[in-house]
């Protein structure tokens, strides 16, 4: 059971906007930067959003992140077929003194 | 080229130990913390430990204390993760990952992963 809660699946059609949620607690999301990763099965995760809303070089501005209270969100605008992958959130937990992860959300582009 | 290159797949029997390496190149080894994270088949990520390559100080999750050990060799810019008393539940892909300065769970560089299979 993951410390951070994500929906197991999400879907949308090309061009749509999709939002993936990540629910945590006062010991993690509230006071720490949230990070998002994209993972194609069989490969290593890749950083998509760091420090809650920052994009690494090379990540399109279609991807954005935000948080409010104990929850965070990843929004993908202008959905493309190549966006299909697993997405998960990660944040430091002050109580556990280590990073915690969401269980992952499988994104399907219909 | 900035990269983390891990050792290859391993097959171990229950009760044995495994040691996975992670060689860094293309950046100053001591500038970034390195974490180990594993992913069991079809599952999410689980944190296994962290090392500061600069001073070798480590930290581990409570549930793995006593079974996991992370070390580093600065002369070769390599980090190692050793897991002992292996059990079937330890079957997973093991990743090393570098953190962005000041962002504790922000991993901007990952190794390619090493599959560890525990089976009798």
């Amino acid at each position: 059971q993951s410390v951070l809660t994500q929906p197991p699946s999400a879907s949308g059609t090309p061009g749509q906007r999709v939002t993936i949620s990540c629910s945590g607690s006062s010991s993690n999301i509230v006071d720490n930067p949230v990070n998002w990763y994209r993972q194609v099965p069989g490969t290593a995760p890749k950083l998509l959003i760091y420090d809650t809303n920052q994009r690494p070089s090379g990540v399109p501005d279609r991807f954005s992140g935000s948080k409010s209270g104990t929850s965070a969100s990843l929004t993908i605008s202008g959905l493309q077929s190549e966006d299909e992958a697993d997405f998960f959130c990660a944040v430091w937990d002050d109580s556990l003194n280590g990073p915690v992860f969401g269980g992952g959300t499988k994104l399907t582009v219909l | 080229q900035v990269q983390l290159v891990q050792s290859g797949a391993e097959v171990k029997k229950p009760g044995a130990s495994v040691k996975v390496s992670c060689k860094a190149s293309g950046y100053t080894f001591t500038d970034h913390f390195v974490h180990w994270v594993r992913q069991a088949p079809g599952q999410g990520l689980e944190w296994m430990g962290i090392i500061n390559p600069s001073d070798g100080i480590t930290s581990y999750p409570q549930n793995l204390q006593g079974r996991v050990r992370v070390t580093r060799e600065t002369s070769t810019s390599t980090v190692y993760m050793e897991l002992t008393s292996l059990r079937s539940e330890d079957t997973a892909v093991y990743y090393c990952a570098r953190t962005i300065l000041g962002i504790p769970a922000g991993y901007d560089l990952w190794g390619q992963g090493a599959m560890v299979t525990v089976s009798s």
Side-chain angles (χ1 to χ4, degrees):
Chain A
Q1 203 78 326
S2 302
V3 173
L4 304 177
T5 302
Q6 295 182 235
S9 63
S11 63
T13 57
Q16 273 191 332
R17 184 171 68 180
V18 170
T19 298
I20 297 172
S21 63
C22 172
S23 178
S25 69
S26 57
S27 64
N28 43 64
I29 290 180
V30 170
D31 290 328
N32 293 299
V34 180
N35 309 279
W36 289 90
Y37 298 87
R38 177 178 182 273
Q39 185 179 32
V40 173
T43 68
K46 183 180 176 183
L47 183 65
L48 199 60
I49 296 287
Y50 69 96
D51 198 9
T52 303
N53 55 18
Q54 301 299 303
R55 285 185 308 278
S57 168
V59 173
D61 59 7
R62 302 187 295 107
F63 295 90
S64 63
S66 65
K67 75 173 181 179
S68 178
T70 59
S71 292
S73 296
L74 171 70
T75 298
I76 308 171
S77 304
L79 201 60
Q80 299 179 3
S81 57
E82 53 263 39
D83 293 336
E84 278 203 349
D86 296 322
F87 294 83
F88 60 92
C89 52
V91 63
W92 189 264
D93 190 288
D94 294 325
S95 294
L96 299 174
N97 200 30
V100 290
F101 300 92
T105 298
K106 182 177 179 60
L107 175 65
T108 301
V109 181
L110 303 169
Chain B
Q1 185 180 359
V2 180
Q3 60 182 356
L4 296 173
V5 178
Q6 297 182 226
S7 48
E10 303 259 14
V11 179
K12 296 291 183 180
K13 292 194 183 302
S17 298
V18 68
K19 192 171 186 177
V20 182
S21 68
C22 171
K23 183 174 175 58
S25 61
Y27 71 94
T28 302
F29 178 64
T30 52
D31 278 356
H32 296 262
F33 286 20
V34 174
H35 291 236
W36 286 89
V37 173
R38 68 180 176 181
Q39 187 171 35
Q43 302 299 310
L45 295 169
E46 178 187 10
W47 180 59
M48 298 191 67
I50 178 178
I51 188 165
N52 180 349
S54 179
D55 57 18
I57 291 178
T58 56
S59 179
Y60 308 111
Q62 193 81 5
N63 66 317
L64 290 175
Q65 283 277 1
R67 276 215 305 143
V68 66
R69 183 169 179 241
V70 179
T71 56
R72 97 295 191 207
E73 191 173 74
T74 53
S75 62
T76 59
S77 298
T78 302
V79 175
Y80 300 91
M81 186 284 300
E82 183 174 23
L83 188 62
T84 62
S85 302
L86 289 169
R87 46 195 83 151
S88 59
E89 310 89 89
D90 295 318
T91 293
V93 177
Y94 289 74
Y95 294 103
C96 59
R98 179 187 87 166
T99 60
I100 301 171
L101 296 177
I103 309 294
Y107 307 112
D108 66 340
L109 186 65
W110 293 70
Q112 81 275 21
M115 181 71 209
V116 175
T117 302
V118 182
S119 174
S120 55

